[in-house]
Amino acid sequence: MRWSRGGGAGPVRRGPRLLLLAVLLLVGGHALLWRWAEQQMEHGLAVQVAQWRSRGWTVAVGTPAWGGWPLHARLTVPDVALSGSGGPPGGVAWTAQRVVLDVALVHPRTLVVDIAGRQSLRLGPGPALAFTAASAEARVPLVPGVPPHSIDLVVAGWQTEPPAARLTAARVSLHLEEQPGAAQGEPAVSAVLDAADITLPPAGAGRTWALGEHIASVAVEAALTGPLSRLPDPQARAEAWRDAGGTVAVRRLALRWGKLDLDGTATLALDEALQPMGTATVRMSGQAETLDALAGAHVLAPAAAQAAKAVLALLARTPPGGGRPEVAVPLALQDRVLTMGRIPLLRLPLLLWPQLVWSTAG
């Protein structure tokens, strides 16, 4: 009887020990996984910084701090500053109070980047633009051994800060995708942009926004075909892209601004003088009020506005379900002149290279 009781008590006593061992192994394994994710993020950050510096950029970051245990590997990087001569002439400079890199251990293939807070951006030789956002989050897919080629960015409560004039956007979302080594005619860079509830700064200097200071929404879906040159000079890059048959295909452009409600598609390129050219087809409503507003703000000549109104009035149709009359019209841009059918609407300013500034000359 003693032997029987002793034999039964052994498994009972071993049960808690096995459970404790399993818990310790689970916790230890989780700690190793978290540490591995931490090391991967540290390595990825170091690689990115080294790549930027190898391209001639200046990169400065504060001392990173780790957090997020137990479900996230989170790296907070303060005082981020990036500047270099890439992009437009005069270079680019971007600063941020902090950038938070986060990988959830249950979703290890997605890097979430929180870039909310005060930031500044300078494009070219002009002053830096300071801005803030209530929230700004980017998601980057992670593939082992492969650099990321796409990003999804969602920003809410974006606004500029003094001394810049106030510009706000309630919500902005952007999807960018790059195809390295894209051949002729293939999309090298694709972008989808959606923005809502935009308030423009006062125009000032006796000028006004012809359609008002509030844009209800704007959406753009476009693709830039390759191949893309990596020549350092902007004009040489533009010439190489043009000579290779480069185009920008605007698959969708939607704009709700004032009385104007517009949807359309377009194909753009550069002509022999490196000026934009292309064709578009747009469907719109509110065209009469829009043309009057553009003429009143001296964007269009009154005669051109009246001629366009007369033609559009003949082409306009009321939708089967009712509503404002709509019209579908072709647009063309050639030799810097935008035309609707055979009616010239306006002449665009000259785009100067390599300075990449707009000139009113010519």
Side-chain angles (χ1 to χ4, degrees), residues 311-340:
V311 172
L312 294 179
L314 296 175
L315 299 176
R317 298 289 183 270
T318 300
R324 295 191 300 171
E326 296 180 346
V327 61
V329 295
L331 298 175
L333 176 61
Q334 187 171 5
D335 297 328
R336 296 167 41 215
V337 176
L338 179 66
T339 59
M340 184 191 71

Side-chain angles (χ1 to χ4, degrees), residues 3-19:
W3 179 86
S4 176
R5 285 195 300 270
V12 174
R13 287 194 297 269
R14 287 196 298 269
R17 296 176 183 174
L18 292 175
L19 180 59

Side-chain angles (χ1 to χ4, degrees), residues 29 43 99 107 136 153 185 193 287 293 306 354:
H43 175 71
V99 175
H107 298 292
L153 174 67
L193 170 70
Q287 57 273 6
Q306 289 301 321

